[in-house]
């Protein structure tokens, strides 16, 4: 078994948010040698960039985990350790962190029983592990090297992007729909029987026009000094 080390990968369009930069610097200081490297991939093409991050990671000296994180996410200094601990103790191939999407919906998805769509979890609580997930948002996605290698082997002759493609699926009415790259990764992992879990013990603030936080996490946000409701601007307490 490889030691519990991680490489952090993120995609951007030439700039990252200050809150993300501060969060990453603070995490590197806190984690010490657990973080073996950071991969930044500037590109206007999100799906291509995510695949290049995975390709680069697999060529690096063996490290057990790759954490894909978006450059508009603000996170706690120990969020990476927490994620690794949960992944190890649940034997997860993929761990998704939860953050608020544009409509304040959660970024954890179960499978739609009538199609290959993902359905955002409507009822979620803080400090929970949700097993049997279908997909999540790649704003916070922890992946095992062994799983990424299995995906590469399975999909390399089907898609030049074995991990983050844009698969065509049928909707409820039979119409063809192209999935986003994050849901494609989740669906492919699901089809392979990989274990995907979601973890709501991380306070992840999504900085759009204002930082977004799931409503059920608002009390936790206050504890960490964000001083906000789910509909108000916030930031994590600086240390």
């Amino acid at each position: 078994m490889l030691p519990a080390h991680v490489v952090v990968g993120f995609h951007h369009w030439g700039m990252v948010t200050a809150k993300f930069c501060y969060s990453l610097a603070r995490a590197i200081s806190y984690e010490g040698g657990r973080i073996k490297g950071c991969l930044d991939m500037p590109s206007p093409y999100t799906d291509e960039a995510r695949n290049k991050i995975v390709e680069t990671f697999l060529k690096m000296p063996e490290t057990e985990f790759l954490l894909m994180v978006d450059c508009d996410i603000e996170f706690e200094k120990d969020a990476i350790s927490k994620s690794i601990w949960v992944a190890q103790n649940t034997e997860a191939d993929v761990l998704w962190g939860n953050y608020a999407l544009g409509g304040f919906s959660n970024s954890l998805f179960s499978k739609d029983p009538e199609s290959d769509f993902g359905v955002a979890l409507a009822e979620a609580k803080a400090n929970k592990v949700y097993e049997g997930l279908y997909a999540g948002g790649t704003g916070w996605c922890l992946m095992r090297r062994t799983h990424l290698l299995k995906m590469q082997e399975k999909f390399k002759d089907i898609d030049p992007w074995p991990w983050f493609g844009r698969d065509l699926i049928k909707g409820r009415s039979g119409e063809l729909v192209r999935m986003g790259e994050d849901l494609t990764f989740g669906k492919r992992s699901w089809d392979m029987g990989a274990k995907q879990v979601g973890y709501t013990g991380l306070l992840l603030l999504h900085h759009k026009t204002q930082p977004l936080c799931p409503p059920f996490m608002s009390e936790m946000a206050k504890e960490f000094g964000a001083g906000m409701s789910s509909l108000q601007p916030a930031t994590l307490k600086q240390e």
Side-chain angles (χ1 to χ4, degrees), residues 36 51 57 71 74 115 148 176 184 192 228:
K36 291 301 183 182
N51 284 284
F57 168 73
C71 64
E74 183 181 1
S115 72
L148 295 173
L176 285 177
T184 293
M192 292 175 63
M228 43 81 77

Side-chain angles (χ1 to χ4, degrees), residues 2 29 37 58 62 139-140 188 190:
L2 295 174
S29 176
L58 293 179
E62 289 197 10
W140 192 274
R188 291 180 180 183
W190 172 278

Side-chain angles (χ1 to χ4, degrees), residues 12-225:
H12 59 88
W13 293 270
M15 295 185 293
V16 302
T17 65
K19 297 300 184 184
F20 167 79
C21 185
Y22 172 75
S23 296
L24 182 58
R26 186 172 63 163
I28 291 171
S29 176
Y30 176 83
E31 298 288 355
R34 186 184 297 277
I35 297 177
K36 291 301 183 182
C38 294
L39 301 173
D40 76 293
M41 192 62 64
S43 173
Y45 307 108
T46 302
D47 39 12
E48 180 183 35
R50 295 201 192 284
N51 284 284
K52 286 183 175 180
I53 288 172
V54 177
E55 288 176 355
T56 304
F57 168 73
L58 293 179
K59 293 175 182 177
M60 296 175 66
E62 289 197 10
T63 304
E64 185 173 8
F65 291 104
L66 170 64
L67 174 65
M68 193 83 70
V69 58
D70 280 354
C71 64
D72 56 2
I73 295 291
E74 183 181 1
F75 52 94
E76 306 159 66
K77 65 182 180 182
D78 61 349
I80 295 174
S81 284
K82 287 181 179 178
S83 299
I84 291 175
W85 188 90
V86 172
Q88 288 182 315
N89 282 272
T90 58
E91 299 184 340
D93 298 298
V94 181
L95 179 141
W96 305 96
N98 186 62
Y99 52 93
L101 299 175
F104 290 96
S105 61
N106 294 309
S107 63
L108 306 178
F109 297 88
S110 59
K111 188 179 184 303
D112 180 2
E114 300 180 24
S115 72
D116 284 328
F117 284 123
V119 180
L121 295 187
E123 300 293 333
K125 296 181 179 180
N127 298 311
K128 297 291 184 182
V129 175
Y130 292 88
E131 299 196 11
L133 287 189
Y134 182 58
T138 38
W140 192 274
C141 179
L142 184 72
M143 301 160 280
R144 284 189 189 269
R145 171 182 287 269
T146 51
H147 177 56
L148 295 173
L149 288 170
K150 290 176 183 177
M151 292 186 75
Q152 183 180 47
E153 184 64 27
K154 182 174 179 62
F155 295 105
K156 65 181 181 180
D157 296 327
I158 302 172
D159 191 334
W161 294 342
W163 306 282
F164 295 95
R166 292 197 177 260
D167 288 353
L168 284 171
I169 61 171
K170 285 188 177 182
R172 291 185 174 184
S173 302
E175 75 280 14
L176 285 177
V177 180
R178 193 171 294 280
M179 302 181 84
E181 85 286 346
D182 44 7
L183 291 179
T184 293
F185 177 85
K187 177 182 180 299
R188 291 180 180 183
S189 297
W190 172 278
D191 291 343
M192 292 175 63
K195 184 171 185 178
Q196 302 183 73
V197 305
Y199 180 45
T200 59
L202 309 174
L203 182 58
L204 305 175
L205 298 183
H206 195 188
H207 284 265
K208 292 299 187 183
T209 304
Q210 64 181 33
L212 306 180
C213 178
F216 74 90
M217 299 288 282
S218 59
E219 290 303 315
M220 180 184 287
K222 291 176 182 178
E223 292 177 8
F224 279 91

